Amino acid sequence: MELIGRMLDGSISYGDPGLEPVPSAASIKQDEKMERLEGVPLFERCTRRELRAIARIAESFDAAAGTVLIRAGEPGEEFFLIVEGTARVHVSAKKRARLRAGDFFGEMSLLDGEPRSATVVAETAMRLLVISRRNFSGLLEKVPGMVQTLLATLSRRVRLGERALDMSRHASSR
Ligand code: CMP
């Protein structure tokens, strides 16, 4: 299980030595989660009932700037939604993408079961909502409205990744 999953389920504590930087425990109330979810493009087609269900399964998590949220090559267990702050995605050696409030990440490994495709690092202090693999699968089945947005975002990410690959191939062939 990934670091953040182990922190959320209590199998390691936020203050364990050797974990750097140390995120702080967060607790967003249900109402606040709902408010945040309403502003997320991924959920714009969701009914209030669906949003309430999502708020129930999403756990809040605060991360300090510099926290490695996802490490490329590791197995993926969580889906992340950014409530506050920005993250950097290390798409390739030369290409970085910035994700901000309302954006999500961690969907690829949950969809195809492959290891994480990129490293994602908190660029600033962040507040996140985290959804486990099992709950994410349930969401895809029960909230069809989010699938279309998810697919559109995925397509953009694949194109960006391919462009980065082309550019590095081009540079190394010169
Ligand atoms: P996953 O592969 O599970 O873990 C790394 C995450 O980085 C990936 O899911 C996406 O959410 C995100 N990611 C990968 N490539 C890009 C990209 N080109 N732009 C934005 N985010 C990306």
Side-chain angles (χ1 to χ4, degrees):
M1 192 188 284
E2 287 173 296
L3 176 65
I4 287 161
R6 285 156 63 212
M7 287 176 176
L8 288 171
D9 77 6
S11 57
I12 53 171
S13 80
Y14 291 97
D16 271 4
L19 296 177
E20 263 203 298
V22 180
S24 63
S27 65
I28 308 183
K29 291 200 185 76
Q30 202 70 0
D31 289 354
E32 196 187 335
K33 274 196 217 167
M34 281 285 289
E35 249 172 62
R36 305 290 190 164
L37 290 171
E38 274 168 6
V40 173
L42 179 62
F43 301 131
E44 65 193 4
R45 293 189 183 84
C46 293
T47 62
R48 281 198 67 76
R49 196 189 158 139
E50 287 169 339
L51 284 179
R52 252 196 306 281
I54 299 166
R56 271 198 299 273
I57 58 169
E59 302 231 37
S60 63
F61 182 82
D62 281 355
T67 304
V68 178
L69 300 163
I70 281 182
R71 214 177 279 279
E74 290 188 349
E77 292 300 329
E78 284 98 20
F79 171 78
F80 299 83
L81 264 172
I82 303 178
V83 173
E84 282 168 25
T86 59
R88 278 273 186 186
V89 183
H90 297 240
V91 179
S92 72
K94 289 199 179 140
K95 188 81 195 163
R96 305 275 184 275
R98 177 175 286 132
L99 301 177
R100 33 180 70 79
D103 289 336
F104 60 84
F105 58 94
E107 76 291 354
M108 291 187 183
S109 280
L110 301 199
L111 290 170
D112 65 10
E114 293 290 315
R116 294 299 197 186
S117 62
T119 293
V120 184
V121 182
E123 190 174 44
T124 64
M126 296 184 80
R127 175 157 287 187
L128 299 152
L129 289 176
V130 186
I131 297 177
S132 70
R133 170 185 286 282
R134 190 167 58 89
N135 285 327
F136 181 74
S137 303
L139 270 189
L140 292 181
E141 277 170 30
K142 290 185 200 119
V143 188
M146 68 178 261
V147 175
Q148 207 173 335
T149 314
L150 194 69
L151 288 176
T153 305
L154 252 176
S155 304
R156 270 199 304 278
R157 290 180 178 173
V158 169
R159 284 181 205 276
L160 190 71
E162 280 177 355
R163 267 208 302 274
L165 209 62
D166 279 350
M167 275 160 54
S168 67
R169 276 201 202 110
H170 188 67
S172 63
S173 67
R174 271 194 281 161

